[in-house]
């Protein structure tokens, strides 16, 4: 197997400490496996994308010494491919159009809740739109045991999610015409031949959906590793939305050393003197921690 990993930032603002942790972990895992490390700009969420943020993130990664082994891929240039995959799923009957508004879903969930069932999409449009206009496209998830997806996370251990009761049929193309993250990420990782995904634990909850979609498309499931997310003083995930500040590009070693500590890597004093020394020490410490033969 040739290892291929990636870092997939959403350009909603400059690189911050929380996203640096994910970038560093994916970079170290690729280096420890002597594999390739790719970067993908996830810029298809129109309303959230900030002009110039992607270029800024790429420049910061470079200044921090993390260079992609191949030209970065931009999701905004892959729309035709997502369309093609949706058509493929339509032809096999695995997806259906959904006419529910957010309010209608919330209302039926309220009833479901009263009946003590779960908060998954109740499948209102499974059997047809009932005269409503199509808004979104959903992937049908199976009932019963077939809906239970388990995987071994390399950091967090065994994970299990019941798609039928915890998620329900999920959206691949949104009512506003945007492509859902779940579809784009699976198609892009498969097309890029990604073998290992290393990212923040806030995405753990999406992984079962992605594995199910991989099975529907007949593509390989990569190995997963979700690193603990960085939280702010209120215990919330650090994000551009709750005030995470941009990294100081003049002091990459300070931020990188803090990120390494967050990942539980104990580096000797001299690792903090140059970027080369930092990456050499951090790569072997990562390999040791993760049991990789380096
Ligand atoms: N673009 C996503 C984010 O920034 C990450 C997607 C992924 O790694 O699968 O949260």
């Amino acid at each position: 197997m040739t290892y291929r990993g990636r870092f997939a930032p959403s350009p909603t603002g400059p690189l911050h400490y929380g996203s640096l942790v994910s970038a560093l972990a994916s970079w170290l895992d690729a280096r420890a496996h002597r594999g390739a490390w790719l970067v993908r700009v996830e810029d298809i969420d129109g309303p959230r994308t900030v002009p110039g943020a992607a270029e800024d993130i790429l420049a910061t990664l470079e200044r921090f010494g993390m260079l992609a082994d191949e030209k970065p891929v931009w999701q905004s240039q892959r729309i035709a491919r997502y369309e093609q995959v949706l058509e493929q799923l339509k032809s096999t009957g695995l997806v259906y159009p959904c006419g529910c508004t957010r309010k209608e879903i919330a209302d039926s969930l309220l009833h479901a809740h009263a009946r003590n069932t779960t908060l998954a999409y109740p499948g209102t449009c499974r059997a047809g739109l009932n005269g409503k206009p199509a808004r979104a496209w959903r992937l049908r998830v199976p009932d019963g045991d077939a809906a239970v997806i388990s995987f071994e996370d390399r950091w967090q251990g065994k994970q299990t999610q019941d798609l039928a009761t915890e998620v329900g049929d999920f959206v691949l193309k949104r009512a506003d015409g945007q492509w859902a993250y779940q579809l784009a990420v699976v198609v892009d990782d498969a097309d890029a031949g990604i073998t290992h995904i290393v990212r923040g634990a806030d995405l753990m909850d999406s992984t079962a959906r992605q594995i199910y979609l991989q099975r529907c498309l007949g593509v390989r499931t990569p190995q997963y590793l979700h690193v603990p997310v960085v939280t702010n003083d209120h215990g919330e995930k650090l994000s551009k939305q709750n005030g995470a500040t941009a990294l100081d590009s003049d002091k990459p070693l300070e931020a990188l050393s803090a990120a390494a500590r967050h990942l539980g890597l104990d580096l000797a004093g001299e690792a903090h003197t140059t970027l080369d020394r930092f990456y050499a020490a951090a790569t072997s410490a990562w390999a040791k921690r993760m049991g990789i033969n380096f």
Side-chain angles (χ1 to χ4, degrees), residues 6 8-10 40 42 181 185 197 199 202-203 210 237:
R6 59 29 164 216
S10 299
R40 178 172 69 239
E42 303 213 320
Y181 156 68
V185 80
I197 291 179
R199 60 187 180 189
D202 53 312
L203 293 165
Q210 293 169 15
K237 182 206 162 200

Side-chain angles (χ1 to χ4, degrees), residues 219-291:
V219 299
R220 179 164 74 167
T221 291
Q223 290 195 39
Y224 288 94
L225 188 163
H226 290 85
V227 294
V229 293
V230 180
T231 52
N232 65 14
D233 293 344
H234 307 291
E236 304 154 347
K237 182 206 162 200
L238 200 62
S239 73
K240 292 146 202 165
Q241 288 73 34
N242 66 25
T245 47
L247 295 166
D248 182 351
S249 312
D250 295 333
K251 297 186 187 140
L253 272 173
E254 257 175 42
L256 285 167
S257 300
R261 265 197 308 280
H262 178 81
L263 293 170
L265 307 178
D266 234 344
L267 307 181
E270 72 146 26
H272 308 286
T273 52
T274 68
L275 282 178
D276 281 350
R277 284 188 189 141
F278 170 80
Y279 283 117
T283 307
S284 19
W286 175 270
K288 198 162 153 215
R289 193 178 195 304
M290 301 310 305

Side-chain angles (χ1 to χ4, degrees), residues 23-180:
L24 179 64
S26 63
W27 194 94
L28 293 175
D29 200 50
R31 288 297 173 261
H33 283 92
R34 301 187 194 285
W37 183 73
L38 316 184
V39 173
R40 178 172 69 239
V41 177
E42 303 213 320
D43 61 339
I44 46 162
D45 194 341
R48 288 180 64 229
T49 297
V50 173
E55 291 78 2
D56 192 61
I57 290 173
L58 295 174
T60 306
L61 287 172
E62 206 172 316
R63 253 177 279 129
F64 275 56
M66 285 182 268
L67 285 170
D69 294 310
E70 291 171 17
K71 216 164 128 258
V73 167
W74 296 63
Q75 285 191 328
S76 53
Q77 303 193 347
R78 292 181 41 80
I79 301 298
R81 176 72 180 123
Y82 307 144
E83 198 68 66
Q84 193 181 42
V85 171
L86 185 67
E87 289 307 316
Q88 179 190 334
L89 290 166
K90 280 183 197 172
S91 69
T92 52
L94 282 165
V95 290
Y96 64 87
C98 171
C100 296
T101 60
R102 271 172 205 267
K103 166 128 187 24
E104 284 168 334
I105 297 173
D107 285 351
S108 47
L109 287 179
L110 221 59
H111 286 116
H113 208 48
R115 291 199 311 269
N116 215 7
T117 51
T118 58
L119 291 180
Y121 173 68
T124 321
C125 295
R126 259 190 177 199
L129 285 162
N130 267 321
K132 290 193 283 190
R135 292 166 49 82
W137 283 88
R138 289 183 184 273
L139 182 69
R140 209 180 279 277
V141 303
D143 297 314
D145 288 351
V148 180
I149 305 283
S150 292
F151 64 98
E152 193 65 32
D153 187 85
R154 291 171 55 215
W155 186 296
Q156 323 259 355
K158 188 174 178 191
Q159 308 291 318
T160 300
Q161 191 177 50
D162 184 335
L163 288 178
T165 60
E166 294 174 57
V167 179
D169 300 340
F170 55 96
V171 170
L172 297 185
K173 190 176 188 187
R174 293 174 2 198
D176 62 2
Q178 308 272 343
W179 293 95

